[in-house]
Amino acid sequence: FGINAFIIRHVGREVLGIMNVRLLLLESTVLFLSREAVSRAALSATSQQREKCTWSQLINQQWLTVIICIFVCLPCCYVWLNCFSSVDIVYLDQYRFACYAVLLSCIIELCAEPPVFVSQVFCFVKLKIGLNTLHIFVRSVIFLTIALTDPTAAIYAFAIAQLASAVTIVLSHYGFYAYYINSLNLYKQNRNPTSSCFLKSDLEDWRKYFFENMDDFPLKKLSEFLPGVMENESKFFNSELQILTLSFLKQAVLKQILTEGSLAARFIFRPIEDSSYFYFTQTISRDVPLNDQDKTKVQEAGIVLGHLSMTVISIGLLALCFGQSYSHTLLYLYGGADFIAGGLPEILLKWHCLAICFLAINGITEGYMFATNTSHDIDKYNYLLAVFSISFLLLSYVLTTIFGPVGFIFANCINMFCRICYSARFIWVQYKPLGINPLRDFVPSKMFLFAVFVGGFLCNSAMFKISMTSHLMLGFGCVFIVLMTWAYENKDLLKVCWAYRKKLKFE
């Protein structure tokens, strides 16, 4: 947010548009199409289906992302350089260099996919946070250093920063596991009483916290992250995993068409969607009816689905109600008075807050459906997604003709509403034989709904009638009251979360 505000105030809107729309869209498209299908299929294979797939096959599978990325880069490079090349002649050379740099950075970044996958499977959450922070820091520092030195080279700065960030991702992940695997091997050796280097104190130091429950960690040396290095008595690839990957790959193409209109909102909800998808793949088996699975796990999954959906809906309503009052203020702080001249940016942001509500619940319900569907069911849904894609494009054309740019947001909302209805029906049908209905827990409490709508109404009524500072203070106060109301209404849920957090901290 800060870097974008700097760009728009000191460099110009066109440069911001090139970087944040064209180039970041290029990056997100290539990375999504390259790893979404492989990652989702591999995570499914680490749950109840683990006996069908070896770790060697899973590591080999991750390297497919690099091969897919190379093939995806070819058409994307042509499209972005020839169809999206209508930029000011001053920035044309920079834009072309940046396109090549972004594509190369995607290929480099995906070389770290095997250790990223292992980190996700073993829930190395702090590692993910730390390394993500590191590469964002590197990217930001390099970009600002070059852009402050020469503002006219901002696009060059963006491209170089992307390359440096990708290299940082690869080196940091492999560097961590070089240290981790070596330390784990030493720990296993030292805890063996028959070992000559066994010391009782070794079991009492900090290594016990990290390694005590890691006997199932599959890698013995860093080179086993490379394809074909880990010992494997089975085939190089798993055929069932390839079928599931192909199903997700077809789906990824369709989802890319349907979701890239909401990049900003997806930035908020994507981490929640990824975490929930991983949880559901580890809890529910996609090839076994719920009646034949562990009743405790099935019931727990239903409860988690209900609470998680209610939480993201609450976030969406918070954005919708207060976004109507503070869109003008946010955009003013972001780009200044010239940026909001004419009122269109403010109108777009207000309606985008509505899209956030739909996007919030769609990500969770659709993620649950994808995590528990069979390969056959996923292929069936892919045909429906094709219908949604065509309908979305037609709706976008019709509604933008009638309403202007806002029509695109309307089309997005209608598309997501239809997908939510399909996912909700799937959940209802799946749990009906068990007498469980997670959909009942989706709706926030009446007290919270009353508080959020009243708070939004008060802030909207006071807009332009008091100073901006006073209006912001009013907003902070109302949001605080709304959050406290939500916390009071969901105190049992918060107690469970807090107890689980303490349990993780002391284990």
Side-chain angles (χ1 to χ4, degrees):
F1 182 89
I3 290 175
N4 289 341
F6 167 81
I7 294 169
I8 201 169
R9 290 173 182 269
H10 295 86
V11 182
R13 295 188 192 182
E14 184 173 3
V15 173
L16 180 67
I18 292 172
M19 290 165 46
N20 277 19
V21 179
R22 299 190 185 190
L23 295 177
L24 284 185
L25 180 60
L26 173 61
E27 181 195 36
S28 66
T29 299
V30 171
L31 290 178
F32 183 83
L33 294 178
S34 301
R35 69 182 172 197
E36 178 77 2
V38 175
S39 176
R40 285 184 177 269
L43 286 174
S44 298
T46 62
S47 57
Q48 284 88 343
Q49 292 87 4
R50 261 310 312 275
E51 66 277 1
K52 301 179 182 178
C53 191
T54 65
W55 266 105
S56 177
Q57 291 173 331
L58 289 172
I59 295 295
N60 297 338
Q61 181 85 0
Q62 297 307 307
W63 284 101
L64 285 177
T65 58
V66 179
I67 300 173
I68 295 172
C69 183
I70 293 172
F71 283 100
V72 170
C73 283
L74 297 177
C76 286
C77 182
Y78 177 82
V79 171
W80 259 258
L81 288 178
N82 294 278
C83 302
F84 295 162
S85 59
S86 56
V87 299
D88 194 313
I89 191 66
V90 176
Y91 303 115
L92 188 57
D93 289 339
Q94 293 191 53
Y95 173 71
R96 288 173 177 168
F97 173 79
C99 286
Y100 291 125
V102 167
L103 293 173
L104 179 58
S105 71
C106 291
I107 296 173
I108 294 172
E109 181 176 338
L110 289 175
C111 291
E113 204 60 18
V116 169
F117 171 73
V118 171
S119 300
Q120 191 168 8
V121 171
F122 286 93
C123 299
F124 289 176
V125 180
K126 293 181 180 179
L127 173 68
K128 179 180 179 180
I129 295 171
L131 296 187
N132 282 351
T133 303
L134 175 63
H135 87 81
I136 291 172
F137 175 77
V138 170
R139 184 175 63 191
S140 302
V141 168
I142 292 176
F143 173 80
L144 287 174
T145 301
I146 300 175
L148 287 173
T149 304
D150 183 7
T152 60
I155 300 177
Y156 279 135
F158 176 86
I160 295 170
Q162 286 292 115
L163 286 170
S165 174
V167 172
T168 302
I169 290 172
V170 174
L171 293 180
S172 60
H173 277 89
Y174 284 106
F176 168 80
Y177 276 105
Y179 170 78
Y180 185 85
I181 293 173
N182 181 61
S183 299
L184 178 60
N185 290 338
L186 288 175
Y187 174 79
K188 289 180 178 179
Q189 181 183 4
N190 290 346
R191 74 177 179 179
N192 183 3
T194 61
S195 173
S196 59
C197 54
F198 173 78
L199 292 174
K200 184 178 180 180
S201 59
D202 287 337
L203 297 177
E204 299 171 352
D205 65 12
W206 59 271
R207 287 178 295 180
K208 183 178 180 181
Y209 176 80
F210 290 102
F211 304 132
E212 185 177 16
N213 299 313
M214 297 301 294
D215 290 333
D216 59 343
F217 191 77
L219 289 92
K220 304 296 186 295
K221 51 186 178 180
L222 187 66
S223 61
E224 289 182 338
F225 276 120
L226 297 175
V229 174
M230 186 181 293
E231 293 183 7
N232 183 26
E233 298 178 358
S234 306
K235 296 179 179 179
F236 193 82
F237 290 116
N238 182 278
S239 57
E240 292 186 20
L241 195 58
Q242 299 307 306
I243 295 172
L244 188 58
T245 300
L246 184 60
S247 298
F248 278 124
L249 185 60
K250 291 183 286 187
Q251 185 185 98
V253 176
L254 297 171
K255 284 184 68 179
Q256 183 68 7
I257 298 174
L258 293 171
T259 58
E260 282 308 308
S262 306
L263 281 173
R266 285 189 62 76
F267 175 79
I268 301 171
F269 293 111
R270 186 61 189 264
I272 303 176
E273 295 171 15
D274 289 344
S275 299
S276 62
Y277 176 82
F278 176 71
Y279 167 78
F280 291 129
T281 59
Q282 305 305 298
T283 309
I284 303 293
S285 177
R286 66 170 68 247
D287 296 320
V288 182
L290 293 188
N291 281 327
D292 299 331
Q293 298 188 42
D294 187 326
K295 296 297 187 294
T296 303
K297 286 189 174 182
V298 171
Q299 198 168 31
E300 178 189 290
I303 294 172
V304 170
L305 175 62
H307 286 322
L308 192 58
S309 300
M310 181 271 295
T311 301
V312 295
I313 289 174
S314 300
I315 295 173
L317 288 174
L318 201 65
L320 174 63
C321 292
F322 289 96
Q324 308 308 306
S325 307
Y326 292 95
S327 294
H328 180 274
T329 304
L330 183 64
L331 291 172
Y332 177 80
L333 295 174
Y334 181 73
D338 292 339
F339 185 71
I340 56 177
L344 180 60
E346 182 180 346
I347 294 172
L348 289 174
L349 185 56
K350 285 182 177 180
W351 282 109
H352 193 69
C353 292
L354 175 64
I356 289 176
C357 288
F358 288 105
L359 189 67
I361 185 60
N362 179 67
I364 302 301
T365 55
E366 206 169 62
Y368 174 84
M369 185 173 67
F370 295 153
T372 57
N373 264 347
T374 63
S375 299
H376 178 67
D377 291 333
I378 293 172
D379 283 332
K380 285 173 57 179
Y381 186 64
N382 287 342
Y383 291 110
L384 188 60
L385 274 181
V387 175
F388 285 148
S389 300
I390 297 170
S391 303
F392 171 68
L393 294 175
L394 292 174
L395 271 174
S396 297
Y397 175 76
V398 173
L399 294 178
T400 51
T401 303
I402 299 173
F403 299 105
V406 177
F408 181 77
I409 299 177
F410 292 160
N412 216 1
C413 291
I414 294 171
N415 158 60
M416 285 188 288
F417 176 75
C418 294
R419 290 161 63 185
I420 291 168
C421 290
Y422 185 89
S423 303
R425 183 183 179 277
F426 170 84
I427 294 168
W428 180 73
V429 170
Q430 190 183 41
Y431 276 92
K432 186 179 179 181
L434 301 176
I436 302 173
N437 186 7
L439 301 178
R440 293 175 181 171
D441 297 326
F442 280 29
V443 182
S445 68
K446 293 180 180 179
M447 187 178 294
F448 169 78
L449 293 174
F450 176 78
V452 73
F453 284 118
V454 169
F457 175 77
L458 288 175
C459 292
N460 194 58
S461 301
M463 191 166 52
F464 303 123
K465 295 179 181 178
I466 56 178
S467 67
M468 183 181 293
T469 303
S470 300
H471 191 233
L472 284 171
M473 295 300 295
L474 174 64
F476 284 129
C478 289
V479 169
F480 178 77
I481 293 172
V482 170
L483 292 177
M484 290 300 101
T485 303
W486 189 92
Y488 175 77
E489 290 291 295
N490 298 277
K491 53 182 178 293
D492 292 336
L493 175 61
L494 292 178
K495 287 179 181 177
V496 171
C497 294
W498 182 256
Y500 185 69
R501 181 180 179 277
K502 289 176 67 177
K503 179 183 177 182
L504 288 178
K505 184 176 180 180
F506 291 107
E507 278 187 348

